[in-house]
Amino acid sequence: MACLVGAVFAVLLLCLLFFIRLYYVVKTGSSYKPGTRGPVTVLVVAGSGGHTTEVLRLMECLSAAYTPRHYVIADTDRMSEEKICTFESSKQHSEGQFTICRIPRSREVHQSWSSSVLSTLDALRYSLPLVFRLRPDMVLCNGPGTCVPLCVAGLLLGILGMKKVSIVYVESICRIKTLSLTGKILYPISDYFFVQWSSLRDKYPRSIFLGRLV
Amino acid sequence: MKTVFVTVGTTSFDDLIEGVTCPETVQVLKARGYERLVLQAGRGSILPAADSCPHVTLEAYRFKDSIADDIQQADLVISHAGAGSCLEALGAGKPLLVVVNDKLMNNHQLEMARQLHMDSHLLYCTCSTLTETLRTMDLSVLQPFLPGQPKNFANFLDKALGVQ
């Protein structure tokens, strides 16, 4: 009996520690300045279709300080790879500064909620090793479902004290009055959460609104 | 030759293709000086033949890798409400008429077309009002659509992450 109580107590304590640590990592996120120590490694979640176009448009103005760039695309997506290569070849001195990684898509359009949860968990199996291996300074994403497991993996690096990963989320230009499902999930854990319409800024006070970005 | 480019995106929108090629609409277009009609018909079941509309030059295809050239050559773009198509046409500085598919009323994609219409960047109608809208539309009320500013994002991020 005492043994059981002890085990329950230990689990509760671990949970408590986890949440305190989670709160601390999210709370102190904006004081993290990887740029002061040299180049910033970026993990870019390209996702698919329109998301890729948007995220590349955001990348257009980022300086050479943001290297290397690791692009993550869904394994069912053929168009994005081409777009990324075209984009990178238009940058100067970009040879060897970027990689493309593929992971299973966590949520196909119109997929049901419950099976989304399962496939997101499945995607976590691939996201964790990827993020732990690349150890990016920041994750940049703008809405495809693939963002969630990758940001969770980044957050976990921080919680375990291995590496702080800044989570930068830019809500898609298509969202005007409501956040996407991905946006709703990532709003509380993002370090910088951008929206592109003032109506969303009014609804989500922690968000950053600098006008239309793409 | 004044050209109208019609795009339905990656899906199908037969009502729009039908509506824009019906004799009454073609007559209205002709009266407004449009003499060439280019249709991107997507997965729809209708792909009008080149000679199906007398009095105008007609070209129709299902998909192309890029519709940028067709938009560039157009004097008026008629589009479904898809965000990508709207942004592409507005980004090219073309007058845009968005035709909403009433069968997809709760699609979140419509949100953006509606907002851009409220901000006077585009005209907005349904298939049933297409002919009338084309007859009475005033393109001079449209406000130019300024491109987004990714530079603002980069500047903010530089400061936030301490990049010199």
Side-chain angles (χ1 to χ4, degrees):
Chain A
M1 189 61 193
C3 190
L4 190 69
V5 170
V8 168
F9 188 71
V11 168
L12 281 177
L13 195 70
L14 263 178
C15 285
L16 185 69
L17 271 176
F18 179 86
F19 281 110
I20 291 173
R21 184 72 195 147
L22 173 68
Y23 179 79
Y24 176 78
V25 167
V26 172
K27 209 68 192 164
T28 58
S30 55
S31 59
Y32 176 62
K33 309 265 181 214
T36 53
R37 286 182 282 107
V40 178
T41 304
V42 189
L43 188 76
V44 186
V45 189
S48 56
H51 288 300
T52 307
T53 312
E54 264 193 52
V55 91
L56 290 181
R57 183 105 168 92
L58 290 170
M59 301 284 296
E60 256 171 41
C61 293
L62 292 188
S63 69
Y66 296 87
T67 37
R69 296 171 292 277
H70 303 287
Y71 294 90
V72 182
I73 59 177
D75 57 3
T76 52
D77 183 16
R78 278 163 236 103
M79 293 272 287
S80 293
E81 182 165 359
E82 208 173 303
K83 282 187 193 163
I84 291 163
C85 291
T86 312
F87 168 76
E88 281 289 340
S89 60
S90 71
K91 281 198 167 214
Q92 285 176 332
H93 316 298
S94 77
E95 304 89 32
Q97 301 288 356
F98 80 100
T99 63
I100 294 179
C101 327
R102 294 170 175 279
I103 63 166
R105 209 177 225 218
S106 71
R107 185 167 177 268
E108 292 287 344
V109 177
H110 304 310
Q111 194 180 332
S112 81
W113 251 91
S114 50
S115 81
S116 294
V117 171
L118 279 180
S119 50
T120 300
L121 281 176
D122 189 52
L124 204 55
R125 286 197 299 137
Y126 298 86
S127 309
L128 277 175
L130 183 73
V131 174
F132 276 54
R133 179 167 58 84
L134 296 173
R135 295 188 167 225
D137 294 304
M138 73 176 246
V139 178
L140 172 64
C141 49
N142 80 326
T146 316
C147 306
V148 178
L150 289 162
C151 290
V152 167
L155 193 65
L156 205 60
L157 268 179
I159 291 171
L160 296 174
M162 294 164 75
K163 173 99 177 49
K164 168 64 194 170
V165 180
S166 287
I167 298 173
V168 180
Y169 184 87
V170 182
E171 184 58 284
S172 165
I173 182 91
C174 312
R175 309 305 303 218
I176 293 162
K177 295 195 182 92
T178 54
L179 291 181
S180 61
L181 177 59
T182 311
K184 281 178 194 149
I185 296 170
L186 294 181
Y187 179 68
I189 63 165
S190 296
D191 295 299
Y192 304 100
F193 190 96
F194 294 85
V195 293
Q196 303 195 57
W197 293 90
S198 58
S199 39
L200 276 180
R201 186 239 346 243
D202 299 343
K203 244 188 206 169
Y204 295 91
R206 265 192 62 228
S207 65
I208 303 159
F209 174 66
L210 305 172
R212 211 149 27 78
L213 300 172
V214 301
Chain B
M1 214 190 294
K2 272 178 85 181
T3 302
V4 179
F5 176 55
V6 182
T7 175
V8 309
T10 52
T11 55
S12 66
F13 194 178
D14 285 344
D15 291 350
L16 173 57
I17 297 297
E18 229 166 70
V20 85
T21 51
C22 77
E24 206 190 346
T25 310
V26 170
Q27 209 164 23
V28 170
L29 288 175
K30 184 88 181 155
R32 296 200 73 121
Y34 299 105
E35 295 177 304
R36 185 165 162 258
L37 203 50
V38 181
L39 310 175
Q40 184 264 315
R43 281 204 288 256
S45 59
I46 311 169
L47 190 67
D51 56 358
S52 59
C53 285
H55 315 302
V56 291
T57 315
L58 188 133
E59 293 160 38
Y61 61 88
R62 290 196 181 277
F63 294 106
K64 264 188 201 173
D65 283 344
S66 166
I67 57 168
D69 288 342
D70 286 317
I71 289 178
Q72 212 46 254
Q73 287 167 18
D75 299 281
L76 171 68
V77 177
I78 300 178
S79 166
H80 73 127
S85 306
C86 291
L87 288 174
E88 205 170 346
L90 291 176
K94 299 296 176 179
L96 173 64
L97 169 61
V98 166
V99 182
V100 176
N101 190 349
D102 350 39
K103 288 167 192 157
L104 300 171
M105 226 33 182
N106 287 319
N107 190 324
H108 81 80
Q109 292 249 355
L110 302 186
E111 229 182 62
M112 190 166 83
R114 249 180 236 140
Q115 182 67 43
L116 292 173
H117 173 241
M118 286 201 296
D119 297 345
S120 298
H121 294 305
L122 52 81
L123 300 171
Y124 188 84
C125 71
T126 61
C127 287
S128 52
T129 57
L130 174 64
T131 313
E132 196 48 36
T133 307
L134 285 170
R135 197 195 317 272
T136 56
M137 69 182 179
D138 177 7
L139 296 179
S140 67
V141 302
L142 294 179
Q143 298 293 317
F145 182 77
L146 301 172
Q149 298 293 322
K151 190 80 198 129
N152 290 345
F153 171 71
N155 289 344
F156 184 99
L157 214 56
D158 281 353
K159 208 175 280 174
L161 300 183
V163 172
Q164 277 96 24

